[in-house]
Amino acid sequence: MTSDEKQFRGKTARRHATTSKAAFRRRTGAVIGLAAVLGLALAGCGTSNGGSATTPAAATSAAATSAATTAEATPAATPAATAGNTASSMASTAPSRPATTPATGAGPALCTAASLKGSVDDTGGGAAGHIYMKLILTNKSSSTCILNGYPGVSLVKAGTTTPIGAPADRDASAPSKGPITLAPGKGATAVLAYTQAGNYQGCKRVQADDIMVYPPSAYDELVIPHPLTACSNTDINLLKIGAFQP
């Protein structure tokens, strides 16, 4: 290669290098200008409403900081607290149960015929063929017992427990006033009204020897000797009995 050709190639290479540098500077300038324009545009958007500009990175960092602060301020539920809440929920939905009343000692038992002795006081008089008597039952046992209500009363033959005629009707005008507590030796009284058998023309008269008494709610009977004329007719009632009174 001649010296002229070398010189020519050297000049050509320098022109290419110069041209490449100039083009690079132009492209760099264009990029820088575009970035500046975009920056101004973003700044205008962020401040157009009077607020400060917030970049996505800054917003993400603020959200993370807020979540961390909330997590620190709210303590995690412990196993004990969770178990307690579960137990409370189960207790609130469990069916309620009635309260249990403490057991107390048993009170006095009802009086039975075996614990009583009976008597009749017929000095109360009467009128128009009626006799009013006091039927008295006394506690002959060593334990306190209760009388409450009407006794059962019938007329019987001596040595038997078969009623003659109809038993006594209950007198609604002399109701029970509540349980009567009979200590040993104490008694209670019920009014027994007797209508004389002669008042009834159809009465089939039978001589009764005793008054048989069933204490209220008792299943055994006691007999009080007291002769009276009975009617065997079951449709004729000669007796009426009131409830026991203190």
Side-chain angles (χ1 to χ4, degrees), residues 144-238:
T144 298
C145 65
I146 299 293
L147 275 182
N148 185 18
Y150 295 87
V153 179
S154 297
L155 300 177
V156 296
K157 285 280 191 181
T160 71
T161 57
T162 302
I164 301 173
D169 280 339
R170 292 182 175 183
D171 186 356
S173 66
S176 172
K177 295 180 180 178
I180 302 170
T181 302
L182 292 186
K186 298 298 182 179
T189 302
V191 175
L192 176 62
Y194 167 73
T195 301
Q196 294 180 354
N199 287 2
Y200 297 91
Q201 294 182 355
C203 172
K204 298 177 181 178
R205 299 183 185 185
V206 177
Q207 185 61 40
D209 303 306
D210 303 324
I211 297 174
M212 182 174 66
V213 180
Y214 281 89
S217 303
Y219 293 93
D220 56 345
E221 75 284 339
L222 59 90
V223 175
I224 304 170
H226 194 87
L228 288 170
T229 301
C231 293
S232 62
N233 315 53
T234 56
D235 60 339
I236 297 177
N237 198 306
L238 303 180

Side-chain angles (χ1 to χ4, degrees), residues 12 14 28 37 40 53 60 64 70-71 89 102 113 121-122 125 127 134 141 151-152 197 208 215 222 232 237:
T12 300
R14 285 194 295 272
T28 303
V37 172
L40 291 174
T60 303
T70 302
S89 177
D121 180 0
D122 60 2
K134 292 181 180 178
S141 73
L222 59 90
S232 62
N237 198 306

Side-chain angles (χ1 to χ4, degrees), residues 104-118:
T104 57
L110 292 173
C111 299
T112 63
S115 64
L116 301 170
K117 67 179 180 180

Side-chain angles (χ1 to χ4, degrees), residues 55-66:
T55 64
T60 303
S61 176
T65 303
S66 176

